[in-house]
PDB file of all heavy atoms in Angstrom:
ATOM      1  N   ASP A  56       5.672  11.771 -17.528  1.00 62.00           N
ATOM      2  CA  ASP A  56       6.319  11.072 -16.405  1.00 62.00           C
ATOM      3  C   ASP A  56       5.324  10.134 -15.695  1.00 62.00           C
ATOM      4  O   ASP A  56       5.683   8.994 -15.338  1.00 62.00           O
ATOM      5  CB  ASP A  56       6.818  12.101 -15.354  1.00 62.00           C
ATOM      6  CG  ASP A  56       8.029  12.859 -15.857  1.00 62.00           C
ATOM      7  OD1 ASP A  56       8.667  12.400 -16.837  1.00 62.00           O
ATOM      8  OD2 ASP A  56       8.315  13.894 -15.272  1.00 62.00           O
ATOM      9  N   GLU A  57       4.086  10.578 -15.556  1.00 63.00           N
ATOM     10  CA  GLU A  57       3.079   9.714 -14.932  1.00 63.00           C
ATOM     11  C   GLU A  57       2.776   8.482 -15.782  1.00 63.00           C
ATOM     12  O   GLU A  57       2.659   7.367 -15.317  1.00 63.00           O
ATOM     13  CB  GLU A  57       1.808  10.482 -14.670  1.00 63.00           C
ATOM     14  CG  GLU A  57       1.955  11.602 -13.672  1.00 63.00           C
ATOM     15  CD  GLU A  57       0.796  12.583 -13.681  1.00 63.00           C
ATOM     16  OE1 GLU A  57       0.260  12.852 -14.750  1.00 63.00           O
ATOM     17  OE2 GLU A  57       0.471  13.046 -12.583  1.00 63.00           O
ATOM     18  N   LYS A  58       2.638   8.714 -17.096  1.00 70.00           N
ATOM     19  CA  LYS A  58       2.401   7.624 -18.012  1.00 70.00           C
ATOM     20  C   LYS A  58       3.563   6.614 -18.041  1.00 70.00           C
ATOM     21  O   LYS A  58       3.354   5.406 -18.073  1.00 70.00           O
ATOM     22  CB  LYS A  58       2.124   8.207 -19.443  1.00 70.00           C
ATOM     23  CG  LYS A  58       1.551   7.223 -20.390  1.00 70.00           C
ATOM     24  CD  LYS A  58       0.136   6.849 -19.994  1.00 70.00           C
ATOM     25  CE  LYS A  58      -0.415   5.880 -21.002  1.00 70.00           C
ATOM     26  NZ  LYS A  58      -1.471   5.033 -20.455  1.00 70.00           N
ATOM     27  N   THR A  59       4.781   7.181 -17.956  1.00 85.00           N
ATOM     28  CA  THR A  59       5.989   6.314 -17.927  1.00 85.00           C
ATOM     29  C   THR A  59       5.964   5.464 -16.666  1.00 85.00           C
ATOM     30  O   THR A  59       6.260   4.270 -16.729  1.00 85.00           O
ATOM     31  CB  THR A  59       7.231   7.207 -17.974  1.00 85.00           C
ATOM     32  OG1 THR A  59       7.228   7.963 -19.165  1.00 85.00           O
ATOM     33  CG2 THR A  59       8.487   6.347 -17.961  1.00 85.00           C
ATOM     34  N   LEU A  60       5.595   6.040 -15.504  1.00 88.00           N
ATOM     35  CA  LEU A  60       5.483   5.240 -14.289  1.00 88.00           C
ATOM     36  C   LEU A  60       4.470   4.160 -14.470  1.00 88.00           C
ATOM     37  O   LEU A  60       4.735   2.986 -14.099  1.00 88.00           O
ATOM     38  CB  LEU A  60       5.104   6.166 -13.106  1.00 88.00           C
ATOM     39  CG  LEU A  60       4.811   5.411 -11.783  1.00 88.00           C
ATOM     40  CD1 LEU A  60       6.095   4.737 -11.265  1.00 88.00           C
ATOM     41  CD2 LEU A  60       4.227   6.324 -10.774  1.00 88.00           C
ATOM     42  N   GLU A  61       3.320   4.467 -15.018  1.00 90.00           N
ATOM     43  CA  GLU A  61       2.307   3.449 -15.241  1.00 90.00           C
ATOM     44  C   GLU A  61       2.813   2.334 -16.125  1.00 90.00           C
ATOM     45  O   GLU A  61       2.636   1.158 -15.829  1.00 90.00           O
ATOM     46  CB  GLU A  61       1.066   4.135 -15.867  1.00 90.00           C
ATOM     47  CG  GLU A  61      -0.043   3.107 -16.208  1.00 90.00           C
ATOM     48  CD  GLU A  61      -1.210   3.762 -16.909  1.00 90.00           C
ATOM     49  OE1 GLU A  61      -0.967   4.314 -18.027  1.00 90.00           O
ATOM     50  OE2 GLU A  61      -2.297   3.726 -16.349  1.00 90.00           O
ATOM     51  N   ASP A  62       3.453   2.713 -17.226  1.00 90.00           N
ATOM     52  CA  ASP A  62       4.000   1.717 -18.144  1.00 90.00           C
ATOM     53  C   ASP A  62       5.059   0.826 -17.482  1.00 90.00           C
ATOM     54  O   ASP A  62       5.044  -0.407 -17.619  1.00 90.00           O
ATOM     55  CB  ASP A  62       4.588   2.361 -19.385  1.00 90.00           C
ATOM     56  CG  ASP A  62       3.531   2.999 -20.256  1.00 90.00           C
ATOM     57  OD1 ASP A  62       2.371   2.636 -20.160  1.00 90.00           O
ATOM     58  OD2 ASP A  62       3.907   3.924 -21.039  1.00 90.00           O
ATOM     59  N   LYS A  63       5.968   1.443 -16.729  1.00 91.00           N
ATOM     60  CA  LYS A  63       7.029   0.688 -16.051  1.00 91.00           C
ATOM     61  C   LYS A  63       6.445  -0.268 -15.038  1.00 91.00           C
ATOM     62  O   LYS A  63       6.879  -1.433 -14.982  1.00 91.00           O
ATOM     63  CB  LYS A  63       7.965   1.653 -15.290  1.00 91.00           C
ATOM     64  CG  LYS A  63       8.929   2.383 -16.157  1.00 91.00           C
ATOM     65  CD  LYS A  63       9.818   3.298 -15.297  1.00 91.00           C
ATOM     66  CE  LYS A  63      10.765   4.138 -16.151  1.00 91.00           C
ATOM     67  NZ  LYS A  63      11.551   5.047 -15.312  1.00 91.00           N
ATOM     68  N   LYS A  64       5.453   0.143 -14.293  1.00 93.00           N
ATOM     69  CA  LYS A  64       4.878  -0.762 -13.269  1.00 93.00           C
ATOM     70  C   LYS A  64       4.022  -1.813 -13.926  1.00 93.00           C
ATOM     71  O   LYS A  64       3.967  -2.953 -13.436  1.00 93.00           O
ATOM     72  CB  LYS A  64       4.076   0.064 -12.230  1.00 93.00           C
ATOM     73  CG  LYS A  64       4.962   0.991 -11.435  1.00 93.00           C
ATOM     74  CD  LYS A  64       6.146   0.278 -10.848  1.00 93.00           C
ATOM     75  CE  LYS A  64       7.141   1.204 -10.248  1.00 93.00           C
ATOM     76  NZ  LYS A  64       8.360   0.535  -9.782  1.00 93.00           N
ATOM     77  N   ARG A  65       3.343  -1.482 -15.005  1.00 90.00           N
ATOM     78  CA  ARG A  65       2.579  -2.535 -15.692  1.00 90.00           C
ATOM     79  C   ARG A  65       3.529  -3.635 -16.207  1.00 90.00           C
ATOM     80  O   ARG A  65       3.224  -4.828 -16.086  1.00 90.00           O
ATOM     81  CB  ARG A  65       1.812  -1.930 -16.876  1.00 90.00           C
ATOM     82  CG  ARG A  65       0.777  -2.892 -17.433  1.00 90.00           C
ATOM     83  CD  ARG A  65      -0.004  -2.357 -18.605  1.00 90.00           C
ATOM     84  NE  ARG A  65      -0.522  -1.001 -18.525  1.00 90.00           N
ATOM     85  CZ  ARG A  65      -0.028   0.046 -19.225  1.00 90.00           C
ATOM     86  NH1 ARG A  65       0.962  -0.087 -20.035  1.00 90.00           N
ATOM     87  NH2 ARG A  65      -0.579   1.228 -19.107  1.00 90.00           N
ATOM     88  N   ILE A  66       4.688  -3.238 -16.719  1.00 90.00           N
ATOM     89  CA  ILE A  66       5.669  -4.224 -17.177  1.00 90.00           C
ATOM     90  C   ILE A  66       6.267  -4.969 -16.000  1.00 90.00           C
ATOM     91  O   ILE A  66       6.388  -6.198 -16.037  1.00 90.00           O
ATOM     92  CB  ILE A  66       6.786  -3.513 -17.992  1.00 90.00           C
ATOM     93  CG1 ILE A  66       6.226  -2.985 -19.305  1.00 90.00           C
ATOM     94  CG2 ILE A  66       7.981  -4.442 -18.227  1.00 90.00           C
ATOM     95  CD1 ILE A  66       7.115  -1.996 -20.017  1.00 90.00           C
ATOM     96  N   CYS A  67       6.578  -4.303 -14.939  1.00 89.00           N
ATOM     97  CA  CYS A  67       7.131  -4.902 -13.724  1.00 89.00           C
ATOM     98  C   CYS A  67       6.222  -5.994 -13.210  1.00 89.00           C
ATOM     99  O   CYS A  67       6.708  -7.075 -12.833  1.00 89.00           O
ATOM    100  CB  CYS A  67       7.305  -3.838 -12.646  1.00 89.00           C
ATOM    101  SG  CYS A  67       7.652  -4.448 -11.004  1.00 89.00           S
TER     102      CYS A  67
END
Side-chain angles (χ1 to χ4, degrees):
D56 289 343
E57 294 166 325
K58 193 68 177 154
T59 300
L60 174 66
E61 177 184 62
D62 292 339
K63 283 181 184 177
K64 295 309 170 186
R65 192 182 314 109
I66 291 166
C67 168

